[in-house]
Amino acid sequence: MVNENPFKSILKTLERPDGGEFGKFYSLPALNDPRIDKLPYSIRILLESAIRNCDEFQVKSKDVEKIIDWENTSPKQVEIPFKPARVLLQDFTGVPAVVDLACMRDAMNSLGGDSNKINPLVPVDLVIDHSVQVDVARSENAVQANMELEFQRNKERFAFLKWGSNAFHNMLVVPPGSGIVHQVNLEYLGRVVFNTNGMLYPDSVVGTDSHTTMIDGLGVAGWGVGGIEAEAAMLGQPMSMVLPGVVGFKLSGKLSNGVTATDLVLTVTQMLRKHGVVGKFVEFYGEGMGELSLADRATIANMSPEYGATMGFFPVDHVTLHYLKLTGRSDETVAMIESYLRANKMFVDYSEPQIERVYSSYLELNLEDVEPCVSGPKRPHDRVPLKEMKADWHSCLDNKVGFKGFAIPKESQSKIAEFSFHGTPAQLRHGDVVIAAITSCTNTSNPSVMLGAALVAKKACELGLEVKPWVKTSLAPGSGVVTKYLEKSGMQKYLNHLGFHIVGYGCTTCIGNSGDIDDAVASAITENDLVAAAVLSGNRNFEGRVHPLTRANYLASPPLVVAYALAGTVDINFETEPIGVGKDGKKVFFRDIWPSNEEVAKVVQSNVLPDMFKATYEAITKGNPMWNHLSVPSGTLYSWDPTSTYIHEPPYFKTMIMSPPGPHGVKDAYCLLNFGDSITTDHISPAGSIHKDSPAARYLMERGADRRDFNSYGSRRGNDEVMARGTFANIRIVNKLLRGEVGPKTVHIPSGEKLSVFDVAMRYKSEGHDTIILAGAEYGSGSSRDWAAKGPMLLGVKAVIAKSFERIHRSNLVGMGIIPLCFKPGEDAETLGLTGHERYSIELPSSVSEIRPGQDVTVVTDNGKSFTCTLRFDTEVELAYFDHGGILQYVIRNLIHAKQ
């Protein structure tokens, strides 16, 4: 039942300057509440959404008041509902989302409901961002060759998504080869302001790609959520969120010559990680904003998951409007956006006096203080100033194994591995670069660093420098526009000469799709236990993610990626040591190939043009021949193929009945895994290549798949059987039950056997035993992955007890019916003397009405230990999900019970 909006009195008409009207809007100034003027711009977007959607049922007047009184309510961790304007699905997470929607239709049918009710109720943009396995790299035809390989491997997955675009209403599917999801979102999908049937309101988005936050650079409030949460939002459920604190980040000054946007973002990332921004918004302001291009802002916003914030927000100003015109939005659309945002006090005009806004805490950075840097070797926030890189590298070789250490004995640090590369004698040392990738994740929204990289290549080529042939070089822009301006500027040929051919327009090395390293190089690394290096312009460098054989992985700007590829090692001081020897026999230094800011700006200004964006995105609606020729079944219910290893019907709703199952405790559960701190979703979730000796490989081979056709876990996200086997399969995972051994195994406690995590989990299941996981701080940090929650649920995990959780992962666990518990401050498994060999019982009331968010619960072990934990169901809505056995079950039952 829809109630009348209690705020209808502030519904106003927005007039056009030339007469007529743009539409109606809910006016924040019409509330005449002085508190609104002090609200951060990011909070005003939450406020407008609450007012517009207020029906005193899903969204209530008291929720609106909580947001208006943000200054007083946000420190109290109050809950609010939020309805985003749209949902963004990325290819990999889009597949399981469409699988779940198809399953929900089947479940609705079997429960006697109307399956056609399962349709997105808010606009859904699904981008097939063509995750490119870099098989073909140093080749002029790499794009076409890799694209053909992708279609060959993923035809079934692509066809399934094409079926979904026809079967479900309100869903736009962007075909493969168009660009990476967050780049397409920025350049094409981002509305900034919606005009839906004459109603104007701010664009806001939740996306299943954690780097949905890139859109915050455009003044659109957006962040990553699990696929589970996104699906509920698609189906009209309000997202339940804690009203966040907002960190005000003031920028002043201007970047120095030779400093890139990547250097800035790595500096900001380190500052914000140190400040502590998990669960918070970060809002940027100050006179330095005028010095940051929209692409620079998007680069900073994109890294929000790495600094831990929900989003890093840049309010709309004149720079935003300029970018909208550059990327082909019409003058009329831009005029509507500016008029609406000015009328609703959501536009920043730095030429006018600024009203001081209130923030929860404050940070400040003078852009002149930013210096060239990289981050690594294992985490994105471990920033290293470029001038200190050589010294830092040697410290890493010395240090004990950890985030900044490899524990290489002194006598082995200068080891030289001799090998033959295609008949030519070659050498490798610790720190030698074997992968150099300009990847689509963060930087390829940014023409200044892309053309900067091309200028480095040009200068290097003119001086006669070469990249060693065994360095796997690749260039994967986030958008086809990059190709256009690299070609127009005449710069692509220099990148090509150094091996940086365009390989595709999607996720590559950063997600583990780096492809194979040459066998001779791989053998030299493994036989000599070398710490080989990868340098990439992405945003993730967690262990085991980029490539199994690159133990050191550094994030760097695209120009630095080219420089390190030329140097061939990270063991170099660019200030004092030459990068190489030129064709005239003279030493060439870093300074000889590094362009000035003026050089870069000149090339950008003359080569990045609006027509490029228009032409690129006009082609999206036409698709491409390979996509257009895919034949798909008709019908609104999907015909599952039981033999498929790509698309499989998961068991989530197999035993579902109309009555909710109610809360469940845990009785005498075994510990499946015992972890320390900083276990990321890259450790938990199936990602990257499928190892030949893994349970997933065994499953595929049993079904006739050849090893070369294994593909990646990402490409098989629509098959729960593969994904369950790939959960906790990261080769670098450290499980304390293994007593120092690294890898994807665990101990079956009753027998003492060491087996793969999947095999142990299945044995516990067959024996009728529940399992739990013990973990340290920041459990589930990294990118939001629905399979990091779905996988443990399918393995039979009933609860996770951790020191702390990453925001999205905790929410995803709840969505899959897994109990999240936090140790009390100052306590963890170690201080409590827990080894993981105990059996654990967690008693919960049998009725959800007797459970409170955040209440204390007692955990008891079979050896007599007892300790108190905090139950991390944070809202009443999360308790309702738990009562129903999960968020999707909750949605189905609600839709069946809803009045027609």
Side-chain angles (χ1 to χ4, degrees), residues 88-91 125-129 172 174 179-181 184 189:
L88 181 68
L89 297 178
Q90 180 252 11
D91 176 10
D125 300 322
L126 195 161
V127 181
I128 304 177
D129 68 3
L172 168 69
V174 178
I180 198 166
V181 55
V184 175
L189 298 172

Side-chain angles (χ1 to χ4, degrees), residues 262-271 369-376 379-386 388 392 404:
T262 314
D263 302 321
L264 170 60
V265 76
L266 295 178
T267 303
V268 167
T269 297
Q270 186 181 47
M271 288 176 67
D369 295 336
V370 178
E371 60 182 329
C373 56
V374 297
S375 275
R379 295 190 301 186
H381 50 282
D382 289 333
R383 187 180 70 90
V384 186
L386 198 60
E388 298 172 18
D392 191 82
K404 293 289 289 183

Side-chain angles (χ1 to χ4, degrees), residues 203-222:
D203 187 5
S204 58
V205 60
V206 293
T208 55
D209 180 88
S210 62
H211 291 283
T212 300
T213 53
M214 183 185 249
I215 201 69
D216 300 321
L218 196 67
V220 174

